[in-house]
């Protein structure tokens, strides 16, 4: 019997992305960690540390499973942008991103049965148009920014703000699918969709 796959994430977007390429985790189990950056922590180490910590926390409870974890960081220079819970924070993020390029760093970790670990880092560069006051107010009023890294969702109406990206689009949504699929294949995961069994 194939070892189960657990998605260590509270993000519905990551589950939707995996389903997009025919991967159905056996269960979803968020790690429930404090995601506050450490003092002086830079975007890449932050994304890698949190992805590692999420995978380790869930794998301790399920040592015979494959555990996939990820963390997405929107970085303006050396600055890690928050996941806004209020409109004022979202406004500050969007005003900072307006008219400039930024990076989205995605840390991905897969822990396999037997203690094997695979890691990937995905970097996507994203250009934002200069937002007019009317565009900014309309986006804030829509509430799509809530809980999204950097205060925007590229898969939603904020797509109109992005004239150019370089790198993985799915990484900006929440999970680099090519990297995640490569990790699963490289560490020997055999899901139901690969054996012809129906996904649940």
């Amino acid at each position: 019997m194939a070892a189960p796959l657990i998605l260590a994430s509270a993000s519905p977007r990551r589950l939707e992305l995996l389903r997009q390429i025919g991967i159905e985790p056996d269960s979803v189990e968020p790690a429930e960690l404090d995601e506050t950056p450490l003092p002086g922590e830079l975007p890449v180490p932050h994304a890698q540390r949190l992805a590692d910590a999420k995978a380790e926390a869930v794998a301790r409870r399920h040592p015979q499973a494959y555990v996939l974890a990820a963390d997405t960081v929107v970085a303006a220079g050396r600055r890690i942008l928050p996941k806004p819970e209020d409109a004022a924070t979202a406004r500050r993020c969007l005003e900072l991103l307006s008219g400039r390029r930024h990076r989205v760093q995605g840390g991905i970790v897969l822990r396999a049965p037997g203690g094997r670990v695979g890691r990937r880092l995905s970097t996507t560069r994203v250009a934002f148009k200069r937002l007019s006051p009317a565009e900014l107010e309309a986006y804030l009023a829509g509430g799509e920014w809530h809980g999204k890294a950097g205060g925007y969702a590229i898969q939603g109406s904020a797509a109109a703000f992005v004239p150019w990206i370089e790198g993985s689009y799915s990484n900006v949504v929440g999970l680099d699918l090519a990297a995640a699929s490569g990790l699963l294949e490289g560490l020997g995961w055999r899901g139901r969709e690969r054996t012809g069994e129906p996904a649940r």
Side-chain angles (χ1 to χ4, degrees), residues 35-47 49 73 75 77-80:
E35 299 189 12
T36 305
L38 300 175
E41 190 171 38
L42 296 177
V44 168
H46 179 68
R49 176 178 67 84
V73 173
R78 296 162 61 90
R79 182 174 175 180
I80 297 171

Side-chain angles (χ1 to χ4, degrees), residues 7-11 13-14 31 33-37 41-55 68-75 80-83 103-110 120-123 147 149 170-176 180:
L7 176 60
S9 176
S11 168
R13 295 174 297 282
R14 293 196 179 110
L33 299 177
D34 180 1
E35 299 189 12
T36 305
E41 190 171 38
L42 296 177
V44 168
H46 179 68
Q48 292 173 321
R49 176 178 67 84
L50 286 183
D52 257 319
K54 292 173 184 178
L68 180 66
D71 189 73
T72 304
V73 173
V74 172
I80 297 171
L81 299 192
K83 298 175 181 176
R103 286 169 291 111
V104 178
Q105 307 288 4
I108 307 174
V109 175
L110 177 66
R120 293 287 186 277
L121 175 71
S122 182
T123 300
S170 64
N171 178 49
V172 185
V173 180
L175 181 68
D176 183 331

Side-chain angles (χ1 to χ4, degrees), residues 81-182:
L81 299 192
K83 298 175 181 176
E85 295 297 329
D86 59 80
T89 302
R91 180 187 297 277
R92 288 193 293 272
C93 288
L94 293 167
E95 288 175 344
L96 182 62
L97 297 176
S98 176
R100 63 179 290 182
R101 293 183 181 183
H102 63 275
R103 286 169 291 111
V104 178
Q105 307 288 4
I108 307 174
V109 175
L110 177 66
R111 286 189 167 268
R116 294 169 298 149
V117 184
R119 296 178 177 86
R120 293 287 186 277
L121 175 71
S122 182
T123 300
T124 306
R125 292 172 176 82
V126 182
F128 249 50
K129 63 177 282 189
R130 187 168 299 282
L131 303 180
S132 70
E135 287 172 322
L136 179 59
E137 295 305 325
Y139 192 72
L140 291 171
E144 191 179 75
W145 48 266
H146 189 268
K148 307 293 195 306
Y152 75 95
I154 195 171
Q155 71 274 25
S157 59
F161 304 157
V162 180
W164 175 91
I165 74 167
E166 180 183 78
S168 167
Y169 170 84
S170 64
N171 178 49
V172 185
V173 180
L175 181 68
D176 183 331
L177 289 175
S181 179

